[in-house]
Amino acid sequence: MLLVMNIFKLLYKSIYSPKDIARFRHESVGKAVLYIFLLSLIAILPISVYLSLSFVQTVKIAKEEVAEQLPPFSIENGILKSELNAPLEIDLGDALFIFDSTGETTLNDLDLSINQIAFLKEEMVLTSFGTYNQYAYSMFGELTITGEELTHFINGIYSMLNIIIPIFAIMLFLFTAIGKFIQVFILSFIGKLFANRANLSLLYKDLWKISACSITLITMFFTIMDALNTQVPFSFSINWIVSIIVLYLAIKEVPKTEKIEK
């Protein structure tokens, strides 16, 4: 319990105090690892909640509306076939469902800034947060899929939401944690350059622990932006610039009499 309280106290101070970040070099590496996991967990909370609610709502509406409005269709030899002669769009609230077996709609026609599920002539495309994923029907080989089978598939997904969502959250947490560890690893080498320039004798493990705290401010900033569902321009550059500045300020707080531990 005391460890948890100390971790959260460090989290609070690392937002504004380079001196406290510098002092963290005296803590254990294990505590630094735990701290990175905590930051990763905090970072995914808003987007996990938002995507989970959005996914549940989308699947629910798809179960109730899409299956009813879709015309008879089949996917044969990697091609979507139906009797429609124009694209069909269904508003799912938080997402847009597009069905087009005519070939009129392509990836370039999709608005990547909104959530979409698009069944196009030769592929299915999912868009979200400015990104997209393509799944060519040919990936399924000679498999033939009918509209009735898709309805059963949607119903199956809806009944398994209590399993799918936790798995999604765990995967998101792991990928976020890996990204944080990579960032801390790179920052440690940048910190070594700052330390050498300031004539400080800091061990790599000390720089690694300082770097772990240096990403606190920017992590909390992006967490708040995600909670507000606000896109931040040049987020990659801002992430690294702020982290490096905080790291530099923290290393400046290390006494010049610092010696390498024997």
Side-chain angles (χ1 to χ4, degrees):
M1 186 65 178
L2 182 60
L3 175 61
V4 174
M5 291 180 62
N6 288 338
I7 286 289
F8 277 97
K9 184 178 180 180
L10 173 65
L11 176 67
Y12 171 69
K13 289 188 175 181
S14 295
I15 295 176
Y16 67 89
S17 176
K19 182 176 291 187
D20 285 284
I21 293 176
R23 289 173 180 166
F24 189 64
R25 70 190 185 281
H26 299 305
E27 301 291 341
S28 65
V29 174
K31 190 172 182 179
V33 171
L34 180 62
Y35 187 78
I36 295 175
F37 280 130
L38 174 63
L39 286 179
S40 302
L41 179 61
I42 292 173
I44 71 164
L45 285 179
I47 192 171
S48 293
V49 172
Y50 175 76
L51 288 181
S52 295
L53 293 176
S54 177
F55 183 69
V56 170
Q57 183 68 13
T58 298
V59 173
K60 182 178 180 181
I61 296 177
K63 177 177 179 293
E64 297 173 350
E65 297 185 15
V66 172
E68 296 180 0
Q69 297 186 44
L70 279 182
F73 74 92
S74 64
I75 299 175
E76 302 176 10
N77 299 320
I79 302 296
L80 176 64
K81 299 179 180 180
S82 77
E83 296 181 354
L84 284 181
N85 53 20
L88 171 66
E89 294 186 0
I90 303 175
D91 187 0
L92 303 180
D94 290 333
L96 180 66
F97 184 91
I98 299 174
F99 183 92
D100 183 13
S101 58
T102 66
E104 293 181 17
T105 306
T106 65
L107 177 60
N108 294 331
D109 298 319
L110 301 180
D111 183 357
L112 302 185
S113 65
I114 63 175
N115 298 328
Q116 293 174 112
I117 305 172
F119 279 80
L120 306 182
K121 188 175 182 62
E122 298 181 358
E123 62 186 346
M124 179 178 72
V125 181
L126 304 178
T127 69
S128 181
F129 291 99
T131 63
Y132 67 90
N133 291 292
Q134 297 172 272
Y135 305 94
Y137 304 134
S138 58
M139 293 171 54
F140 303 102
E142 299 301 321
L143 180 64
T144 299
I145 303 174
T146 64
E148 183 178 356
E149 291 171 337
L150 177 63
T151 301
H152 289 312
F153 177 70
I154 293 176
N155 290 334
I157 290 180
Y158 187 75
S159 64
M160 294 179 63
L161 286 178
N162 59 335
I163 298 176
I164 295 174
I165 292 177
I167 292 176
F168 164 78
I170 292 173
M171 294 299 295
L172 181 60
F173 170 74
L174 292 177
F175 280 115
T176 302
I178 291 173
K180 295 293 184 188
F181 277 106
I182 292 175
Q183 184 176 9
V184 169
F185 176 79
I186 296 174
L187 284 173
S188 300
F189 283 98
I190 297 175
K192 186 62 177 176
L193 297 177
F194 290 153
N196 291 341
R197 188 182 183 88
N199 295 320
L200 295 172
S201 298
L202 289 173
L203 293 172
Y204 176 78
K205 66 177 183 178
D206 296 330
L207 291 167
W208 195 88
K209 287 179 281 188
I210 292 174
S211 298
C213 287
S214 297
I215 63 175
T216 304
L217 176 61
I218 195 62
T219 297
M220 299 305 294
F221 170 75
F222 282 120
T223 300
I224 294 173
M225 291 298 101
D226 287 339
L228 297 175
N229 196 24
T230 302
Q231 296 291 324
V232 180
F234 311 108
S235 57
F236 180 83
S237 299
I238 293 174
N239 179 27
W240 281 99
I241 291 173
V242 173
S243 298
I244 291 173
I245 291 175
V246 174
L247 174 64
Y248 173 75
L249 294 176
I251 291 177
K252 281 187 64 177
E253 294 294 334
V254 176
K256 293 188 179 299
T257 55
E258 188 80 13
K259 300 296 182 182
I260 296 179
E261 299 177 5
K262 299 294 184 181

